[in-house]
Amino acid sequence: MLEKVRYIAVEGPIGAGKTSLAQRLAAYLPAVKPVFEQPQDNPFLARFYQNPKRWALPTQLSFLFQRVEQLTALESEGIDESRCIITDFMLERDPLFARLNLAPDELALYEKIYATMQPPSLPVPDLVIYLQAPVTALSERVYRRGIDAERRITESYLEKVAQHYADFFFRYEASPLFVVDAAVLNPVDNEDDFKLLIERLEEMRGQREFFGYAG
């Protein structure tokens, strides 16, 4: 599989390790162009964690503008045979969080803006790697990375995020999907797990596979 893909998207709920894995894959694969989301550039994110109802809509729209801009740049550059593009997000993440965080009237407004802004020929990943983990593991990792803006994230909120991701990827069929049990495997920090991940990706032939054991 890996020798054929030109666009890999790594996804998962907050704390699953998607950015860290995307960075490690970008360092491993040749001729890679990494495209990572920039939460530090969202001026509303810290305020959202303090007061979600007040700041959910501007936070969501700020992320939407950022991601559309990044993916539109990919579209204009084109995806060719000479390089592999790796992202730590999919645009579909935005409506997922919008449905979770926005009030009904705000969601209706967001959906109109999303429909208007969505690029007409958005590149579709050749492979999506979905990291899933229980809420206890997500909460521990969020706490361990020590980002001030995230200290107010509750396990209850993480549970809702994880469930929205599970529901989304249960129905996802647009790209080959490689599901990783990130509670059992640590391909970011464990060299053996990373090598095993690469082996399984290279051997992948089906539309959907689950990777939930090491050794």
Side-chain angles (χ1 to χ4, degrees), residues 6-19:
R6 292 294 172 267
Y7 177 13
I8 300 173
V10 183
E11 263 291 5
I14 304 165
K18 54 188 172 292
T19 301

Side-chain angles (χ1 to χ4, degrees), residues 111-144:
E111 288 175 342
K112 291 180 180 179
I113 297 172
Y114 180 86
T116 301
M117 292 188 61
Q118 190 173 12
S121 56
L122 189 69
V124 177
D126 300 307
L127 172 66
V128 175
I129 301 174
Y130 164 42
L131 306 179
Q132 58 179 200
V135 172
T136 51
L138 299 175
S139 180
E140 178 185 349
R141 291 171 187 174
V142 169
Y143 176 81
R144 194 167 59 236

Side-chain angles (χ1 to χ4, degrees), residues 130-134 141 179-187 210-213:
Y130 164 42
L131 306 179
Q132 58 179 200
R141 291 171 187 174
V179 183
V180 178
D181 185 346
V184 175
L185 294 144
N186 184 359
F210 181 79
F211 182 35
Y213 58 88

Side-chain angles (χ1 to χ4, degrees), residues 32-204:
V32 165
K33 176 181 176 59
V35 181
F36 300 141
E37 71 171 357
Q38 306 295 327
Q40 70 277 5
D41 293 340
N42 188 326
F44 305 103
L45 184 58
R47 283 176 279 182
F48 165 74
Y49 288 131
Q50 293 175 346
N51 189 343
K53 290 184 178 180
R54 168 67 180 85
W55 296 104
L57 182 57
T59 300
Q60 200 64 50
L61 290 177
S62 182
F63 273 129
L64 176 61
F65 279 103
Q66 179 188 117
R67 291 167 185 154
V68 167
E69 182 178 341
Q70 290 173 300
L71 292 174
T72 301
L74 284 183
E75 182 185 14
S76 62
E77 294 175 13
I79 299 176
D80 56 44
E81 297 294 321
S82 65
R83 63 179 180 176
C84 176
I85 292 168
I86 294 181
T87 67
D88 63 348
F89 67 91
M90 300 163 60
L91 187 60
E92 292 90 337
R93 174 195 298 186
D94 278 77
L96 182 155
F97 275 93
R99 290 189 293 270
L100 173 62
N101 294 321
L102 299 181
D105 55 346
E106 293 177 330
L107 180 60
L109 174 61
Y110 168 86
E111 288 175 342
K112 291 180 180 179
I113 297 172
Y114 180 86
T116 301
M117 292 188 61
Q118 190 173 12
S121 56
L122 189 69
V124 177
D126 300 307
L127 172 66
V128 175
I129 301 174
Y130 164 42
L131 306 179
Q132 58 179 200
V135 172
T136 51
L138 299 175
S139 180
E140 178 185 349
R141 291 171 187 174
V142 169
Y143 176 81
R144 194 167 59 236
R145 65 193 186 189
I147 300 175
D148 287 340
E150 295 180 344
R151 293 189 182 278
R152 294 176 180 265
I153 298 178
T154 64
E155 286 198 0
S156 174
Y157 181 72
L158 287 174
E159 185 173 4
K160 292 176 183 178
V161 171
Q163 187 59 54
H164 274 64
Y165 266 98
D167 292 343
F168 173 78
F169 280 112
F170 179 76
R171 300 174 178 84
Y172 184 78
E173 296 181 348
S175 309
L177 181 66
F178 190 79
V179 183
V180 178
D181 185 346
V184 175
L185 294 144
N186 184 359
V188 174
D189 300 316
N190 187 301
E191 185 65 27
D192 289 338
D193 285 355
F194 182 73
K195 289 179 179 178
L196 191 57
L197 173 76
I198 294 298
E199 290 175 7
R200 288 288 301 273
L201 288 173
E202 289 174 341
E203 295 170 357
M204 183 178 178

